[in-house]
Amino acid sequence: MPIISNDPSWWPLINATRIGSYFIVAAFAGVMHDWALTLAQEIELVWRQHWSLMTFLYLSARYLGMFYAIISLLTSVPTIPVTDAVSRMLYITQDLTNVVVFPILCVIMIARLHAMYQRSRKMLIVLAVIFLADNIFNGVITAIGIKYTSTEALILSGTYQCMISYADGIPVLDSITWIFAIVWEVLALCLAIRIAVKHFRELRQHSAGGIIGDCFTALMKSHAIYFSSFVAVSCFQIGLLSPTLSAVQFSLETDIYCGFLQIFTFIQLFVLGPRLILGIREFNAKLVTDSDAKTTMTSIVFQEHVHVSTSSSV
């Protein structure tokens, strides 16, 4: 049964929720806008192509992101009524979605590195071991968080609130998971830079560049953009541990800070994440259209073929 109150002491929470909901709506709009912009490419380069692991990962990351955005609206917009049971279910669903999406992005990154390292089995084993250790730890921390976190529906001055109460130590554990995630992303970036520099040097020595050089350039460009967004999210996430923010929980500055954290998180996970695949497929499609080098690109871009209709008017 939701707690109903018109006590003015709740007004700071009401204002904070209202400000936070503006950022959630903006993040939701951004995800949906990106989906609308890339829908034509998605149909041509994903839905109409031969299905593979990368197809499944792209669609999972893309549509889980839209699902997550809808749930965030339900839990954040103060005009949408929720019960105790519904708020608990939405909180658990959000946490589990995060647990699923992060491994999806990790597998995409492993596939890219595996291809860049010429399908090295040794590199694949190293990445797989790190991947399993990191995600098992994340899964355990998430399970602990769900068990020791309570949710409660409130009706405050005519607005609907979903109050989440964390047990002592849960925020610190969440920060540890982010530290491990940072280590993973930095490792992936360093490995990508290392092999890219090696290939560029070899191509320069042989006075050759062309297709392979352009492919590595495209891979590194998308990787750099994704990593930059991850750095931004990580800095905001770790900044939540600042005593300054925790001391003024419902201040306007804290609300805006958390709002931008939400926007950057949505962009990193649900916009730039799927584009790690879509961007390379688009590059491959353009290359196939402009040249007869389809076989060369196939070994680089996830060992997949992208067929572009020659009757297209584009």
Side-chain angles (χ1 to χ4, degrees), residues 127-153:
L127 292 173
V129 170
I130 298 174
F131 164 79
L132 289 174
D134 188 15
N135 284 278
I136 289 174
F137 179 79
N138 288 343
V140 171
I141 295 302
T142 300
I144 294 174
I146 291 175
K147 181 177 180 180
Y148 293 102
T149 300
S150 61
T151 59
E152 189 175 23

PDB file of all heavy atoms in Angstrom, residues 127-153:
ATOM      1  N   LEU A 127      40.874 -12.791 -23.403  1.00  0.00           N
ATOM      2  CA  LEU A 127      39.717 -11.905 -23.307  1.00  0.00           C
ATOM      3  C   LEU A 127      38.514 -12.622 -22.689  1.00  0.00           C
ATOM      4  O   LEU A 127      37.768 -12.037 -21.900  1.00  0.00           O
ATOM      5  CB  LEU A 127      39.356 -11.371 -24.697  1.00  0.00           C
ATOM      6  CG  LEU A 127      40.366 -10.418 -25.333  1.00  0.00           C
ATOM      7  CD1 LEU A 127      39.961 -10.099 -26.765  1.00  0.00           C
ATOM      8  CD2 LEU A 127      40.484  -9.129 -24.523  1.00  0.00           C
ATOM      9  N   ALA A 128      38.341 -13.893 -23.048  1.00  0.00           N
ATOM     10  CA  ALA A 128      37.208 -14.651 -22.511  1.00  0.00           C
ATOM     11  C   ALA A 128      37.334 -14.846 -21.001  1.00  0.00           C
ATOM     12  O   ALA A 128      36.342 -14.736 -20.263  1.00  0.00           O
ATOM     13  CB  ALA A 128      37.106 -16.002 -23.216  1.00  0.00           C
ATOM     14  N   VAL A 129      38.548 -15.131 -20.509  1.00  0.00           N
ATOM     15  CA  VAL A 129      38.759 -15.319 -19.072  1.00  0.00           C
ATOM     16  C   VAL A 129      38.465 -14.022 -18.315  1.00  0.00           C
ATOM     17  O   VAL A 129      37.764 -14.022 -17.287  1.00  0.00           O
ATOM     18  CB  VAL A 129      40.199 -15.796 -18.802  1.00  0.00           C
ATOM     19  CG1 VAL A 129      40.503 -15.748 -17.307  1.00  0.00           C
ATOM     20  CG2 VAL A 129      40.396 -17.215 -19.336  1.00  0.00           C
ATOM     21  N   ILE A 130      38.984 -12.905 -18.824  1.00  0.00           N
ATOM     22  CA  ILE A 130      38.730 -11.609 -18.174  1.00  0.00           C
ATOM     23  C   ILE A 130      37.238 -11.277 -18.216  1.00  0.00           C
ATOM     24  O   ILE A 130      36.657 -10.796 -17.231  1.00  0.00           O
ATOM     25  CB  ILE A 130      39.549 -10.505 -18.852  1.00  0.00           C
ATOM     26  CG1 ILE A 130      41.045 -10.796 -18.707  1.00  0.00           C
ATOM     27  CG2 ILE A 130      39.222  -9.144 -18.253  1.00  0.00           C
ATOM     28  CD1 ILE A 130      41.932  -9.838 -19.475  1.00  0.00           C
ATOM     29  N   PHE A 131      36.628 -11.545 -19.354  1.00  0.00           N
ATOM     30  CA  PHE A 131      35.191 -11.290 -19.518  1.00  0.00           C
ATOM     31  C   PHE A 131      34.363 -12.073 -18.498  1.00  0.00           C
ATOM     32  O   PHE A 131      33.470 -11.522 -17.840  1.00  0.00           O
ATOM     33  CB  PHE A 131      34.776 -11.658 -20.943  1.00  0.00           C
ATOM     34  CG  PHE A 131      33.300 -11.817 -21.143  1.00  0.00           C
ATOM     35  CD1 PHE A 131      32.484 -10.706 -21.283  1.00  0.00           C
ATOM     36  CD2 PHE A 131      32.725 -13.076 -21.207  1.00  0.00           C
ATOM     37  CE1 PHE A 131      31.116 -10.839 -21.473  1.00  0.00           C
ATOM     38  CE2 PHE A 131      31.358 -13.227 -21.397  1.00  0.00           C
ATOM     39  CZ  PHE A 131      30.549 -12.107 -21.526  1.00  0.00           C
ATOM     40  N   LEU A 132      34.649 -13.357 -18.360  1.00  0.00           N
ATOM     41  CA  LEU A 132      33.883 -14.193 -17.424  1.00  0.00           C
ATOM     42  C   LEU A 132      34.080 -13.733 -15.983  1.00  0.00           C
ATOM     43  O   LEU A 132      33.113 -13.636 -15.210  1.00  0.00           O
ATOM     44  CB  LEU A 132      34.287 -15.653 -17.579  1.00  0.00           C
ATOM     45  CG  LEU A 132      33.845 -16.346 -18.872  1.00  0.00           C
ATOM     46  CD1 LEU A 132      34.435 -17.745 -18.963  1.00  0.00           C
ATOM     47  CD2 LEU A 132      32.316 -16.408 -18.953  1.00  0.00           C
ATOM     48  N   ALA A 133      35.319 -13.444 -15.607  1.00  0.00           N
ATOM     49  CA  ALA A 133      35.589 -13.012 -14.231  1.00  0.00           C
ATOM     50  C   ALA A 133      34.862 -11.713 -13.914  1.00  0.00           C
ATOM     51  O   ALA A 133      34.218 -11.575 -12.857  1.00  0.00           O
ATOM     52  CB  ALA A 133      37.095 -12.842 -14.032  1.00  0.00           C
ATOM     53  N   ASP A 134      34.931 -10.760 -14.825  1.00  0.00           N
ATOM     54  CA  ASP A 134      34.296  -9.458 -14.606  1.00  0.00           C
ATOM     55  C   ASP A 134      32.787  -9.580 -14.509  1.00  0.00           C
ATOM     56  O   ASP A 134      32.148  -9.028 -13.601  1.00  0.00           O
ATOM     57  CB  ASP A 134      34.684  -8.512 -15.743  1.00  0.00           C
ATOM     58  CG  ASP A 134      34.218  -7.080 -15.492  1.00  0.00           C
ATOM     59  OD1 ASP A 134      33.861  -6.769 -14.334  1.00  0.00           O
ATOM     60  OD2 ASP A 134      34.215  -6.267 -16.431  1.00  0.00           O
ATOM     61  N   ASN A 135      32.185 -10.325 -15.413  1.00  0.00           N
ATOM     62  CA  ASN A 135      30.721 -10.395 -15.448  1.00  0.00           C
ATOM     63  C   ASN A 135      30.141 -11.302 -14.368  1.00  0.00           C
ATOM     64  O   ASN A 135      29.018 -11.066 -13.911  1.00  0.00           O
ATOM     65  CB  ASN A 135      30.264 -10.851 -16.836  1.00  0.00           C
ATOM     66  CG  ASN A 135      30.368  -9.744 -17.868  1.00  0.00           C
ATOM     67  OD1 ASN A 135      29.496  -8.907 -17.980  1.00  0.00           O
ATOM     68  ND2 ASN A 135      31.463  -9.733 -18.615  1.00  0.00           N
ATOM     69  N   ILE A 136      30.887 -12.310 -13.942  1.00  0.00           N
ATOM     70  CA  ILE A 136      30.433 -13.108 -12.798  1.00  0.00           C
ATOM     71  C   ILE A 136      30.407 -12.238 -11.548  1.00  0.00           C
ATOM     72  O   ILE A 136      29.456 -12.281 -10.756  1.00  0.00           O
ATOM     73  CB  ILE A 136      31.335 -14.340 -12.609  1.00  0.00           C
ATOM     74  CG1 ILE A 136      31.097 -15.357 -13.731  1.00  0.00           C
ATOM     75  CG2 ILE A 136      31.069 -14.992 -11.250  1.00  0.00           C
ATOM     76  CD1 ILE A 136      32.057 -16.531 -13.703  1.00  0.00           C
ATOM     77  N   PHE A 137      31.467 -11.429 -11.377  1.00  0.00           N
ATOM     78  CA  PHE A 137      31.501 -10.510 -10.239  1.00  0.00           C
ATOM     79  C   PHE A 137      30.334  -9.521 -10.297  1.00  0.00           C
ATOM     80  O   PHE A 137      29.659  -9.275  -9.297  1.00  0.00           O
ATOM     81  CB  PHE A 137      32.829  -9.758 -10.231  1.00  0.00           C
ATOM     82  CG  PHE A 137      32.963  -8.763  -9.115  1.00  0.00           C
ATOM     83  CD1 PHE A 137      33.291  -9.180  -7.830  1.00  0.00           C
ATOM     84  CD2 PHE A 137      32.745  -7.412  -9.339  1.00  0.00           C
ATOM     85  CE1 PHE A 137      33.409  -8.260  -6.789  1.00  0.00           C
ATOM     86  CE2 PHE A 137      32.860  -6.490  -8.312  1.00  0.00           C
ATOM     87  CZ  PHE A 137      33.190  -6.908  -7.035  1.00  0.00           C
ATOM     88  N   ASN A 138      30.078  -8.967 -11.485  1.00  0.00           N
ATOM     89  CA  ASN A 138      28.958  -8.041 -11.632  1.00  0.00           C
ATOM     90  C   ASN A 138      27.625  -8.706 -11.304  1.00  0.00           C
ATOM     91  O   ASN A 138      26.758  -8.106 -10.663  1.00  0.00           O
ATOM     92  CB  ASN A 138      28.917  -7.491 -13.061  1.00  0.00           C
ATOM     93  CG  ASN A 138      30.038  -6.518 -13.342  1.00  0.00           C
ATOM     94  OD1 ASN A 138      30.669  -6.005 -12.422  1.00  0.00           O
ATOM     95  ND2 ASN A 138      30.304  -6.263 -14.613  1.00  0.00           N
ATOM     96  N   GLY A 139      27.465  -9.946 -11.752  1.00  0.00           N
ATOM     97  CA  GLY A 139      26.226 -10.662 -11.469  1.00  0.00           C
ATOM     98  C   GLY A 139      26.022 -10.893  -9.985  1.00  0.00           C
ATOM     99  O   GLY A 139      24.898 -10.738  -9.469  1.00  0.00           O
ATOM    100  N   VAL A 140      27.099 -11.252  -9.280  1.00  0.00           N
ATOM    101  CA  VAL A 140      26.998 -11.475  -7.827  1.00  0.00           C
ATOM    102  C   VAL A 140      26.642 -10.181  -7.108  1.00  0.00           C
ATOM    103  O   VAL A 140      25.769 -10.160  -6.225  1.00  0.00           O
ATOM    104  CB  VAL A 140      28.328 -12.048  -7.293  1.00  0.00           C
ATOM    105  CG1 VAL A 140      28.315 -12.086  -5.765  1.00  0.00           C
ATOM    106  CG2 VAL A 140      28.567 -13.450  -7.849  1.00  0.00           C
ATOM    107  N   ILE A 141      27.304  -9.072  -7.488  1.00  0.00           N
ATOM    108  CA  ILE A 141      27.031  -7.779  -6.853  1.00  0.00           C
ATOM    109  C   ILE A 141      25.592  -7.344  -7.124  1.00  0.00           C
ATOM    110  O   ILE A 141      24.904  -6.816  -6.235  1.00  0.00           O
ATOM    111  CB  ILE A 141      28.021  -6.719  -7.348  1.00  0.00           C
ATOM    112  CG1 ILE A 141      29.445  -7.071  -6.905  1.00  0.00           C
ATOM    113  CG2 ILE A 141      27.635  -5.339  -6.819  1.00  0.00           C
ATOM    114  CD1 ILE A 141      29.617  -7.213  -5.413  1.00  0.00           C
ATOM    115  N   THR A 142      25.123  -7.577  -8.336  1.00  0.00           N
ATOM    116  CA  THR A 142      23.730  -7.224  -8.663  1.00  0.00           C
ATOM    117  C   THR A 142      22.749  -8.035  -7.835  1.00  0.00           C
ATOM    118  O   THR A 142      21.751  -7.495  -7.336  1.00  0.00           O
ATOM    119  CB  THR A 142      23.468  -7.453 -10.160  1.00  0.00           C
ATOM    120  OG1 THR A 142      24.357  -6.638 -10.928  1.00  0.00           O
ATOM    121  CG2 THR A 142      22.031  -7.098 -10.514  1.00  0.00           C
ATOM    122  N   ALA A 143      23.019  -9.320  -7.673  1.00  0.00           N
ATOM    123  CA  ALA A 143      22.137 -10.165  -6.867  1.00  0.00           C
ATOM    124  C   ALA A 143      22.111  -9.693  -5.415  1.00  0.00           C
ATOM    125  O   ALA A 143      21.044  -9.646  -4.781  1.00  0.00           O
ATOM    126  CB  ALA A 143      22.601 -11.622  -6.948  1.00  0.00           C
ATOM    127  N   ILE A 144      23.269  -9.324  -4.883  1.00  0.00           N
ATOM    128  CA  ILE A 144      23.332  -8.807  -3.516  1.00  0.00           C
ATOM    129  C   ILE A 144      22.558  -7.501  -3.410  1.00  0.00           C
ATOM    130  O   ILE A 144      21.800  -7.275  -2.452  1.00  0.00           O
ATOM    131  CB  ILE A 144      24.794  -8.596  -3.083  1.00  0.00           C
ATOM    132  CG1 ILE A 144      25.522  -9.949  -2.991  1.00  0.00           C
ATOM    133  CG2 ILE A 144      24.870  -7.870  -1.733  1.00  0.00           C
ATOM    134  CD1 ILE A 144      26.999  -9.821  -2.719  1.00  0.00           C
ATOM    135  N   GLY A 145      22.729  -6.641  -4.419  1.00  0.00           N
ATOM    136  CA  GLY A 145      22.030  -5.361  -4.411  1.00  0.00           C
ATOM    137  C   GLY A 145      20.526  -5.525  -4.442  1.00  0.00           C
ATOM    138  O   GLY A 145      19.794  -4.835  -3.717  1.00  0.00           O
ATOM    139  N   ILE A 146      20.042  -6.432  -5.272  1.00  0.00           N
ATOM    140  CA  ILE A 146      18.596  -6.675  -5.358  1.00  0.00           C
ATOM    141  C   ILE A 146      18.067  -7.212  -4.033  1.00  0.00           C
ATOM    142  O   ILE A 146      16.980  -6.824  -3.572  1.00  0.00           O
ATOM    143  CB  ILE A 146      18.292  -7.654  -6.507  1.00  0.00           C
ATOM    144  CG1 ILE A 146      18.575  -6.978  -7.852  1.00  0.00           C
ATOM    145  CG2 ILE A 146      16.852  -8.138  -6.450  1.00  0.00           C
ATOM    146  CD1 ILE A 146      18.429  -7.895  -9.049  1.00  0.00           C
ATOM    147  N   LYS A 147      18.837  -8.094  -3.398  1.00  0.00           N
ATOM    148  CA  LYS A 147      18.387  -8.708  -2.149  1.00  0.00           C
ATOM    149  C   LYS A 147      18.297  -7.701  -1.010  1.00  0.00           C
ATOM    150  O   LYS A 147      17.355  -7.735  -0.201  1.00  0.00           O
ATOM    151  CB  LYS A 147      19.332  -9.856  -1.777  1.00  0.00           C
ATOM    152  CG  LYS A 147      18.928 -10.581  -0.503  1.00  0.00           C
ATOM    153  CD  LYS A 147      19.862 -11.748  -0.215  1.00  0.00           C
ATOM    154  CE  LYS A 147      19.452 -12.478   1.058  1.00  0.00           C
ATOM    155  NZ  LYS A 147      20.353 -13.629   1.358  1.00  0.00           N
ATOM    156  N   TYR A 148      19.267  -6.785  -0.953  1.00  0.00           N
ATOM    157  CA  TYR A 148      19.343  -5.874   0.187  1.00  0.00           C
ATOM    158  C   TYR A 148      18.916  -4.442  -0.155  1.00  0.00           C
ATOM    159  O   TYR A 148      19.300  -3.501   0.523  1.00  0.00           O
ATOM    160  CB  TYR A 148      20.767  -5.865   0.749  1.00  0.00           C
ATOM    161  CG  TYR A 148      21.163  -7.185   1.372  1.00  0.00           C
ATOM    162  CD1 TYR A 148      21.978  -8.080   0.685  1.00  0.00           C
ATOM    163  CD2 TYR A 148      20.694  -7.545   2.632  1.00  0.00           C
ATOM    164  CE1 TYR A 148      22.335  -9.292   1.245  1.00  0.00           C
ATOM    165  CE2 TYR A 148      21.044  -8.758   3.195  1.00  0.00           C
ATOM    166  CZ  TYR A 148      21.865  -9.637   2.500  1.00  0.00           C
ATOM    167  OH  TYR A 148      22.214 -10.840   3.050  1.00  0.00           O
ATOM    168  N   THR A 149      18.151  -4.298  -1.216  1.00  0.00           N
ATOM    169  CA  THR A 149      17.596  -2.999  -1.586  1.00  0.00           C
ATOM    170  C   THR A 149      16.082  -3.076  -1.576  1.00  0.00           C
ATOM    171  O   THR A 149      15.501  -4.029  -2.103  1.00  0.00           O
ATOM    172  CB  THR A 149      18.087  -2.571  -2.984  1.00  0.00           C
ATOM    173  OG1 THR A 149      19.516  -2.485  -2.978  1.00  0.00           O
ATOM    174  CG2 THR A 149      17.504  -1.216  -3.367  1.00  0.00           C
ATOM    175  N   SER A 150      15.462  -2.111  -0.956  1.00  0.00           N
ATOM    176  CA  SER A 150      13.999  -2.087  -0.864  1.00  0.00           C
ATOM    177  C   SER A 150      13.430  -0.946  -1.687  1.00  0.00           C
ATOM    178  O   SER A 150      14.077   0.083  -1.895  1.00  0.00           O
ATOM    179  CB  SER A 150      13.559  -1.937   0.598  1.00  0.00           C
ATOM    180  OG  SER A 150      14.039  -0.721   1.147  1.00  0.00           O
ATOM    181  N   THR A 151      12.231  -1.144  -2.178  1.00  0.00           N
ATOM    182  CA  THR A 151      11.525  -0.110  -2.934  1.00  0.00           C
ATOM    183  C   THR A 151      10.161   0.137  -2.295  1.00  0.00           C
ATOM    184  O   THR A 151       9.567  -0.769  -1.702  1.00  0.00           O
ATOM    185  CB  THR A 151      11.322  -0.529  -4.397  1.00  0.00           C
ATOM    186  OG1 THR A 151      10.574  -1.750  -4.446  1.00  0.00           O
ATOM    187  CG2 THR A 151      12.656  -0.741  -5.093  1.00  0.00           C
ATOM    188  N   GLU A 152       9.700   1.365  -2.419  1.00  0.00           N
ATOM    189  CA  GLU A 152       8.420   1.728  -1.814  1.00  0.00           C
ATOM    190  C   GLU A 152       7.757   2.810  -2.657  1.00  0.00           C
ATOM    191  O   GLU A 152       8.405   3.763  -3.090  1.00  0.00           O
ATOM    192  CB  GLU A 152       8.644   2.244  -0.393  1.00  0.00           C
ATOM    193  CG  GLU A 152       7.367   2.444   0.399  1.00  0.00           C
ATOM    194  CD  GLU A 152       7.657   2.835   1.833  1.00  0.00           C
ATOM    195  OE1 GLU A 152       8.756   3.369   2.092  1.00  0.00           O
ATOM    196  OE2 GLU A 152       6.783   2.619   2.694  1.00  0.00           O
ATOM    197  N   ALA A 153       6.471   2.626  -2.932  1.00  0.00           N
ATOM    198  CA  ALA A 153       5.703   3.602  -3.697  1.00  0.00           C
ATOM    199  C   ALA A 153       5.140   4.663  -2.752  1.00  0.00           C
ATOM    200  O   ALA A 153       4.623   4.350  -1.681  1.00  0.00           O
ATOM    201  CB  ALA A 153       4.582   2.920  -4.463  1.00  0.00           C
TER     202      ALA A 153
END
